[in-house]
Structures are given as structure tokens and as C-alpha cells.
């Protein structure tokens, strides 16, 4: 009988915390909570996603060249990557609300266009090529540039507009889509690229 009582009391002592919360001061509790937070952060870094990051530099503003950076950015963001797209020079037109809806496709110098360069250089051929591509996009149900921008922003992609190009092209910051980051210079872009796992120039 005494053995059972002894075993029971030992079991009770085993489950009791060494430092019960009510025995701790407010400062000690705060310190423990902060320590636990740090441990959780470390665990998330170890077992969470890979924490991959990607920076894309978009330099071209034609219809066919607007798709690659936005598709890659939105796809990477869907996988939990930290994605930045730095738009400079003609790439800035992708973020311009008005211009992005009227991006052109050039038929000249494109070996994949089903027409010789001599014919592609004729007046009006770029407009015709653009209409043909827009028709294919609509018939195929492919997302528009505007839709891809919305999806990218919703997924947390940082779409950046080069400040130097904004001033060079005499654009107004209010002309860009809501959510676009303005006032970004080359130094900031380089810093993001240096720390990124993947860097692409489009």
C-alpha cells in the first residue's frame, strides 16, 4: 500500500512544471515569451519553405516581352518565393495603366513571324501582327497583361518602377497601377539582386 502511494506522489511531481507561470514575475514571463518567439522563428526558417527569392529586370515593353516577367513572377510567388520585378526603360510601359493595354508586337526582325522581313517592314504590319496576337490570346483564354499584373500584386510580387526612367520618360507616378512601387533606383535594385537566389534579365 505504501508503495502505491509513493509511486503516485512521484508521478504527480513529475508532471508539475519546475517554474509554474504564477511563480514568475511579469518581466520573467515576457522574457520567456520572447525566447519562445525566437525559437518559433528559427523553426519556421528551418522547416518552412526554402525562402527562395528572385529578381527580374524587365527592360522591354513590347507585347510579347511583357508576358515572360509577369508569368515567371506570378508563378514563383505562387510557390512562396519573394519576387521583385524591376521595370526600367521600355519595360516601364508594362506598369503604365494606359500604355500596358496598347502594347505592340513588332513583326520586323522576328524570325518566328510567319512573314519575311521585307513584308514585315511595310506600314501597318506591326498593327496587324499585334491584332493577330491579341486575337490568339483571347481565343486561347490566356490572361491579359492587366490580369497578370493584378495576380502578381495580389500574390505579393513587388513590381518596381525605375525612378530614373520615370523622370526620363516624363511619366507621372499616378499613371501606374495601384500597388506598383515607385521611387526605386538602380542601387536598390542591385542590392535586391545581390541577395536573390535567382536573377533574370528580360
Amino acid at each position: 500500500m505504501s508503495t502505491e502511494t509513493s509511486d503516485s506522489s512521484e508521478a504527480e511531481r513529475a508532471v508539475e512544471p519546475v517554474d509554474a507561470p504564477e511563480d514568475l514575475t511579469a518581466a520573467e514571463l515576457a522574457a520567456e515569451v520572447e525566447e519562445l518567439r525566437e525559437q518559433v522563428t528559427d523553426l519556421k526558417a528551418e522547416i518552412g519553405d526554402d525562402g527562395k527569392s528572385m529578381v527580374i529586370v524587365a527592360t522591354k515593353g513590347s507585347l510579347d516581352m511583357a508576358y515572360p516577367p509577369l508569368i515567371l513572377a506570378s508563378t514563383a510567388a505562387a510557390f512562396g518565393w519573394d519576387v521583385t520585378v524591376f521595370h526600367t526603360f521600355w519595360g516601364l510601359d508594362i506598369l503604365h495603366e494606359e500604355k500596358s493595354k496598347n502594347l505592340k508586337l513588332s513583326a520586323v526582325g522576328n524570325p518566328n513571324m510567319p512573314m519575311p522581313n521585307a513584308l514585315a517592314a511595310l506600314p501597318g504590319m506591326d498593327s496587324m501582327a499585334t491584332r493577330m496576337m491579341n486575337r490568339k490570346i483571347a481565343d486561347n483564354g490566356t490572361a491579359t497583361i492587366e490580369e497578370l499584373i493584378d495576380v502578381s500584386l495580389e500574390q505579393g510580387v513587388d513590381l518596381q518602377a525605375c525612378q530614373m526612367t520615370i523622370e526620363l520618360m516624363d511619366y507621372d507616378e499616378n499613371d501606374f497601377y495601384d500597388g506598383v512601387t515607385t521611387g526605386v533606383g538602380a542601387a536598390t535594385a542591385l542590392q535586391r539582386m545581390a541577395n536573390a537566389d535567382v536573377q533574370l534579365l528580360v
Side-chain angles (χ1 to χ4, degrees), residues 55-134:
V55 175
I56 303 173
V57 180
T59 63
K60 298 177 176 63
S62 59
L63 179 61
D64 54 331
M65 295 307 293
Y67 273 91
L70 293 175
I71 291 173
L72 289 169
S74 57
T75 302
F79 282 113
W81 289 26
D82 178 18
V83 185
T84 299
V85 186
F86 181 70
H87 296 76
T88 185
F89 279 83
W90 304 119
L92 202 60
D93 287 351
I94 300 171
L95 303 180
H96 194 284
E97 272 198 270
E98 182 180 345
K99 291 181 179 294
S100 66
K101 298 171 185 175
N102 297 292
L103 298 179
K104 305 297 182 186
L105 174 65
S106 178
V108 178
N110 190 341
N112 291 323
M113 292 296 292
M115 62 180 73
N117 276 337
L119 184 60
L122 293 175
M125 293 306 293
D126 281 355
S127 296
M128 187 180 80
T130 301
R131 285 196 301 271
M132 288 172 59
M133 180 57 72
N134 281 325

Side-chain angles (χ1 to χ4, degrees), residues 34-182:
E34 183 60 30
E35 184 180 353
L36 286 171
R37 283 177 176 167
E38 292 176 0
Q39 291 175 1
V40 169
T41 301
D42 291 341
L43 284 172
K44 283 182 177 180
E46 290 178 13
I47 66 173
D49 58 45
D50 293 335
K52 289 189 179 297
S53 59
M54 177 169 66
V55 175
I56 303 173
V57 180
T59 63
K60 298 177 176 63
S62 59
L63 179 61
D64 54 331
M65 295 307 293
Y67 273 91
L70 293 175
I71 291 173
L72 289 169
S74 57
T75 302
F79 282 113
W81 289 26
D82 178 18
V83 185
T84 299
V85 186
F86 181 70
H87 296 76
T88 185
F89 279 83
W90 304 119
L92 202 60
D93 287 351
I94 300 171
L95 303 180
H96 194 284
E97 272 198 270
E98 182 180 345
K99 291 181 179 294
S100 66
K101 298 171 185 175
N102 297 292
L103 298 179
K104 305 297 182 186
L105 174 65
S106 178
V108 178
N110 190 341
N112 291 323
M113 292 296 292
M115 62 180 73
N117 276 337
L119 184 60
L122 293 175
M125 293 306 293
D126 281 355
S127 296
M128 187 180 80
T130 301
R131 285 196 301 271
M132 288 172 59
M133 180 57 72
N134 281 325
R135 191 178 303 116
K136 288 178 78 84
I137 289 170
D139 292 344
N140 193 55
T142 302
T144 64
I145 297 301
E146 185 178 8
E147 290 169 341
L148 284 174
I149 288 174
D150 288 340
V151 168
S152 296
L153 290 171
E154 287 172 5
Q155 292 180 335
V157 176
D158 187 9
L159 298 179
Q160 299 181 346
C162 173
Q163 186 62 36
M164 183 200 73
T165 309
I166 291 175
E167 296 170 3
L168 180 66
M169 303 296 185
D170 198 25
Y171 286 162
D172 190 313
E173 293 184 5
N174 295 323
D175 293 337
F176 300 111
Y177 287 94
D178 291 337
V180 168
T181 303
T182 56

